[in-house]
Amino acid sequence: MKVLIVDDNTKIMAIAEVHLKKEGLEVLCVEDGKSALESARQEKPDLILLDVDMPDMSGFEVCQILKDDAELVMIPVVFLTAADDNKSRVRGLDLGAVDYVTKPFDSFELRARVRAALRTKQLQDQLATMNLELEERVDQRTEEIKQLLEQKDAFVNQLSHDLKTPLTPLVALLPMVAERTEDVESKKMLDLIMNNVDYMRNLTERTLQLAQLNSPEVSLRVEKVDLASEIRNTIESLSSVFKENGIEIVNNTTTPLDIEADRMLIKELIHNLVSNTIKYTNGDGVVTFESFLKDDNVEISIKDTGIGMTIEQQKRIFEEFYKADDSRTDRSSTGLGLTICKRIVENHGGSIRAESQGSGHGTSVHFTLPIRQSEK
Amino acid sequence: MNKEIMVVDDDPSIRSTVDIILKTSGYSICAVESGQGCLDRLREGFRGLILMDVMMPKMDGWDTIAAIEDEGLYKGNVICMLTAVHDPCPKLEKLTEYVMDYVRKPFTSEELLEVVTEYIEYVQ
């Protein structure tokens, strides 16, 4: 290991040099602060033994410059101070020195203090190396996980595509068979089968959609979209369903609400959220739509007077395949609708949350979308 | 005039499904399993509505359309694609003008018939 001694007193420097060479150390000697800094930059010593009292540039000044330099800050400094100079010792330590040796020094003490400082330096270096290795490993592992996730999405994508072909004869021909069947029992069985085929079809579509929303390769097709008119259109297209279910609609959104967004995805988002209010609001309910402009964002809230959610349900409602009613046998829900909503909103740089005062107290969903999409 | 329909799909169950639905509704239909088969029929003088799968081995739907155009066999026919894919493929850009519509798999018999009854009118 390499030690740099800085002292304008060449006699003391020579003595120190002899002692440190006995320790098996490589020793460099300079007589002033300017040379010390040059030498520190070029030689990168493992320790600097620095005299406080020097003409031109004091040891403190040298130390200050060392500690302000990102490349040199890690080199430990041990000050050489006068025996009766407490103030200097304190100031030196405060400036970032690791230790001090008083002059005239005891050779064993000098060697021991240098050894101790070098041990600490060594440990520090080891720690820095380990840290670097660890960071590299984390990066590597993160990359691996990213690749695995991409593979997963590609697999899900492929699987959903591949399922569509064998689903076609089922979707297309089963209703034809059912129509020709006279037998009541067979009709019942066919209904059950068709119900499940429909569910499979939904699940396939939704899974594929989610995989595509997750894929970094599929980007938004951004255009100007009027959120208010999209909401109005969705409400109109579902008006008969609202009526059948005895649900009253209150639409307080202001118009227009132009944002930059992917129209197809926004339609999907609103349709999913509105369908949910129908599903979870039993007769004589009210669904209220509100809009708010906040800085560069539009917030939409959709509030229903339906069955509401428990705290547990509120926490998990956006998870993949989570069904709020906990019934895995519910064929009307894939458990992916709200996950898709969340992904759509997040892909636009927005956020979504669902709130409820508890079971039986209705639910409100709020989503925020930025008015402008940043160029990617 | 009795207008014909050709289904081009490498999957036999899709060919049968289309065949059953369309025959039940009184159309006459021929089914081929590859782009090559489709070209052969066109060379023999087929004129009508072509329902073409996109993903097929060797020659996919887009390659087939390009070949139809190359051989000057497009005139008088109408092409609709049968597809399981949502995203447009880069090959598609130059060829969309030859495609009237898309039927997405899995399709119901109503969805298929709707497309067929609409576009068979355009066959010359």
Side-chain angles (χ1 to χ4, degrees):
Chain A
M1 295 185 98
K2 211 186 280 178
V3 178
L4 172 64
I5 308 177
V6 189
D7 201 323
D8 59 320
N9 183 331
T10 49
K11 209 173 122 200
I12 290 178
M13 190 153 62
I15 298 168
E17 185 183 2
V18 173
H19 286 302
L20 296 186
K21 277 190 172 159
K22 273 192 196 161
E23 284 292 314
L25 298 167
E26 188 184 329
V27 182
L28 308 161
C29 297
V30 294
E31 293 171 32
D32 61 87
K34 207 174 149 226
S35 319
L37 290 170
E38 264 170 38
S39 180
R41 286 205 178 91
Q42 277 168 19
E43 303 288 338
K44 296 269 152 53
D46 298 291
L47 180 80
I48 300 175
L49 201 56
L50 184 58
D51 183 27
V52 171
D53 245 338
M54 290 187 295
D56 297 336
M57 193 189 267
S58 77
F60 293 139
E61 283 174 78
V62 175
C63 187
Q64 185 74 65
I65 294 171
L66 288 170
K67 295 303 163 194
D68 284 344
D69 188 321
E71 274 187 47
L72 306 175
V73 65
M74 293 310 285
I75 304 174
V77 172
V78 173
F79 272 117
L80 290 166
T81 65
D84 54 355
D85 192 357
N86 263 337
K87 265 191 187 162
S88 286
R89 280 180 233 154
V90 171
R91 191 172 164 204
L93 291 171
D94 281 346
L95 275 172
V98 294
D99 204 356
Y100 59 86
V101 179
T102 52
K103 290 194 287 193
F105 52 76
D106 173 89
S107 63
F108 291 102
E109 189 192 343
L110 171 73
R111 283 163 69 171
R113 286 192 190 269
V114 167
R115 279 200 303 271
L118 285 173
R119 270 200 303 275
T120 311
K121 167 72 165 43
Q122 230 168 353
L123 284 173
Q124 233 168 38
D125 287 352
Q126 274 174 19
L127 208 63
T129 315
M130 274 161 70
N131 229 334
L132 217 65
E133 276 173 18
L134 206 64
E135 265 171 41
E136 266 171 32
R137 271 162 62 185
V138 169
D139 284 351
Q140 199 185 342
R141 200 48 67 84
T142 309
E143 189 52 39
E144 278 170 25
I145 291 170
K146 231 175 90 189
Q147 277 180 11
L148 281 173
L149 281 175
E150 274 168 27
Q151 276 175 26
K152 183 211 79 175
D153 282 337
F155 169 75
V156 170
N157 217 340
Q158 187 63 46
L159 183 68
S160 311
H161 277 152
D162 290 354
L163 278 172
K164 286 184 171 185
T165 300
L167 268 173
T168 305
L170 295 172
V171 169
L173 300 182
L174 275 170
M176 290 170 77
V177 177
E179 219 167 274
R180 292 174 190 199
T181 308
E182 304 281 327
D183 178 48
V184 179
E185 283 301 308
S186 304
K187 259 198 188 315
K188 264 193 201 162
M189 289 187 245
L190 280 166
D191 272 348
L192 183 65
I193 294 171
M194 288 192 295
N195 231 327
N196 281 275
V197 168
D198 259 351
Y199 180 56
M200 243 155 76
R201 183 189 190 180
N202 277 337
L203 211 51
T204 311
E205 285 288 344
R206 288 283 165 110
T207 308
L208 188 61
Q209 211 176 7
L210 195 59
Q212 276 174 340
L213 285 169
N214 284 341
S215 160
E217 282 153 38
V218 182
S219 53
L220 301 178
R221 284 169 215 175
V222 175
E223 57 184 311
K224 202 171 97 177
V225 178
D226 179 8
L227 263 181
S229 84
E230 292 300 335
I231 290 171
R232 227 172 23 245
N233 292 343
T234 308
I235 294 172
E236 266 166 35
S237 73
L238 292 168
S239 62
S240 61
V241 190
F242 281 121
K243 218 173 256 173
E244 267 169 42
N245 287 275
I247 298 168
E248 186 197 333
I249 298 294
V250 180
N251 184 0
N252 291 334
T253 55
T254 53
T255 187
L257 289 172
D258 286 334
I259 61 164
E260 291 174 1
D262 187 316
R263 186 182 301 278
M264 293 315 287
L265 294 181
I266 295 299
K267 276 185 194 294
E268 172 85 20
L269 167 72
I270 296 170
H271 190 272
N272 278 354
L273 293 178
V274 174
S275 304
N276 265 356
T277 64
I278 298 172
K279 202 149 98 193
Y280 297 113
T281 307
N282 301 325
D284 297 333
V286 182
V287 177
T288 312
F289 296 80
E290 313 254 12
S291 63
F292 311 92
L293 278 169
K294 283 184 185 169
D295 304 326
D296 299 327
N297 298 296
V298 178
E299 181 175 319
I300 303 288
S301 76
I302 305 173
K303 203 168 137 195
D304 67 41
T305 54
I307 60 174
M309 289 186 292
T310 62
I311 289 170
E312 165 73 7
Q313 285 168 340
Q314 290 176 49
K315 269 191 218 151
R316 302 191 51 199
I317 195 73
F318 293 106
E319 281 175 24
E320 284 177 31
F321 297 109
Y322 180 74
K323 293 181 185 178
D325 56 5
D326 247 354
S327 86
R328 308 294 307 170
T329 50
D330 176 9
R331 287 287 181 260
S332 66
S333 155
T334 56
L336 288 174
L338 281 175
T339 314
I340 288 172
C341 289
K342 184 167 193 267
R343 211 62 56 114
I344 291 174
V345 170
E346 286 175 353
N347 284 4
H348 282 86
S351 62
I352 187 167
R353 62 181 205 281
E355 291 168 354
S356 173
Q357 298 298 321
S359 220
H361 291 89
T363 301
S364 44
V365 175
H366 311 266
F367 65 87
T368 304
L369 290 168
I371 292 170
R372 288 187 204 300
Q373 289 294 315
S374 53
E375 301 279 326
K376 274 182 193 163
Chain B
M1 193 178 93
N2 193 10
K3 287 172 182 172
E4 258 205 297
I5 297 165
M6 170 162 39
V7 55
V8 188
D9 200 308
D10 59 312
D11 190 294
S13 66
I14 298 291
R15 292 200 301 275
S16 301
T17 302
V18 173
D19 187 81
I20 292 166
I21 294 171
L22 297 184
K23 268 192 188 136
T24 309
S25 295
Y27 291 99
S28 69
I29 172 163
C30 72
V32 294
E33 61 178 42
S34 65
Q36 195 54 54
C38 171
L39 287 171
D40 290 344
R41 284 302 171 94
L42 285 168
R43 287 186 200 120
E44 288 162 15
F46 174 92
R47 286 290 171 276
L49 172 63
I50 303 171
L51 299 169
M52 175 106 62
D53 183 26
V54 174
M55 291 212 277
M56 292 185 287
K58 285 186 201 158
M59 220 178 169
D60 68 19
W62 304 117
D63 296 334
T64 309
I65 294 177
I68 291 172
E69 172 57 17
D70 270 358
E71 291 195 32
L73 293 168
Y74 179 69
K75 204 165 174 280
N77 293 298
V78 172
I79 302 175
C80 292
M81 304 304 276
L82 299 176
T83 172
V85 195
H86 275 283
D87 356 314
C89 137
K91 278 191 201 174
L92 178 137
E93 276 178 23
K94 280 179 245 139
L95 297 168
T96 42
E97 59 195 84
Y98 298 105
V99 175
M100 287 298 231
D101 210 341
Y102 296 83
V103 185
R104 299 200 193 284
K105 294 176 191 172
F107 48 80
T108 62
S109 59
E110 290 85 1
E111 283 162 356
L112 180 68
L113 283 168
E114 197 179 308
V115 168
V116 167
T117 44
E118 180 171 358
Y119 293 105
I120 199 138
E121 295 302 320
Y122 294 86
V123 174
Q124 290 159 7

